[in-house]
Amino acid sequence: MDRISALRNIEDALRAFERGEADLATTERQVVTVLRTYATDFDGEGALAAYRASGDERAEGLVVVATSPEEAEARVRDLLDAGDELAVTVDRLG
């Protein structure tokens, strides 16, 4: 999915919400799905994937995009301004 398609899909979801055709939870799911598809829809070597963090309660449920589990763990630690002492594991989504 290219950037323009992703933006159009998000706009469609927001329009449906504004017209009362979708509730907030549905709109959130649609937007997250578009974002995750956009972020992980790259082919080839070093392709990105979404990873969900678990372990430390600060990291629980956080989703990051990375090329490997090790990179994903590092991104989680960076986002939380935590060093190697943060006990976190990641699972690939999809």
Side-chain angles (χ1 to χ4, degrees):
M1 174 182 302
D2 65 20
R3 179 185 293 206
I4 298 299
S5 295
L7 291 172
R8 285 184 182 143
N9 289 336
I10 291 171
E11 287 176 350
D12 290 344
L14 291 174
R15 273 197 281 294
F17 176 74
E18 290 168 347
R19 289 190 303 256
E21 298 169 358
D23 64 3
L24 181 59
T26 300
T27 304
E28 288 175 333
R29 279 192 303 275
Q30 290 171 335
V31 170
V32 166
T33 299
V34 169
L35 178 60
R36 190 164 291 142
T37 301
Y38 172 76
T40 60
D41 198 20
F42 300 103
D43 294 327
E45 188 80 21
L48 295 172
Y51 293 86
R52 182 183 319 269
S54 60
D56 186 279
E57 82 176 36
R58 295 176 295 162
E60 195 68 39
L62 187 65
V63 176
V64 296
V65 177
T67 58
S68 69
E70 296 78 19
E71 181 184 342
E73 288 179 13
R75 285 184 187 247
V76 169
R77 288 186 177 95
D78 287 346
L79 285 171
L80 298 175
D81 291 325
D84 290 336
E85 73 279 354
L86 182 71
V88 64
T89 58
V90 294
D91 294 311
R92 186 176 176 153
L93 299 176

